Amino acid sequence: MIKDFLYAAFPWVVIGLNAALFAVYAAKEKNTENKEDRNAKQMAIGICFGLLAGIGAGAAGIVSMALGVSMGMLLGLTASLCFEKK
């Protein structure tokens, strides 16, 4: 019974931790002038959002957890590269 609870709660714990880390990172973000640093930060943020979406889709049962995490990160990276921050 406790094993089932842990398996059910784990994806939501990961989503919460990832969201908390993103919030702390966004609060500490400084204005960088280096374009490579901005691109790296933008890719990291895109991967974080993709990871959140993938874990959420896996936990909801839409796709398997492994597919949700891997495809979420890939789609988040792709989306972040499409939208350049100015």
Side-chain angles (χ1 to χ4, degrees):
M1 182 167 170
I2 192 119
K3 185 177 179 182
D4 293 335
F5 172 75
L6 291 176
Y7 280 143
F10 180 71
W12 301 109
V13 171
V14 171
I15 288 174
L17 288 174
N18 199 359
L21 289 174
F22 176 72
V24 169
Y25 176 76
K28 290 174 61 175
E29 184 177 315
K30 299 175 194 163
N31 188 9
T32 59
E33 300 297 325
N34 191 357
K35 185 172 181 168
E36 291 179 10
D37 288 343
R38 281 186 287 160
N39 287 341
K41 286 181 182 180
Q42 184 175 348
M43 287 189 299
I45 290 171
I47 289 173
C48 285
F49 279 126
L51 184 62
L52 288 173
I55 290 174
I62 298 171
V63 294
S64 70
M65 185 64 74
L67 184 63
V69 169
S70 60
M71 292 303 292
M73 288 173 53
L74 179 64
L75 292 174
L77 175 63
T78 305
S80 70
L81 292 175
C82 290
F83 301 108
E84 185 174 340
K85 187 177 180 181
K86 296 182 180 176

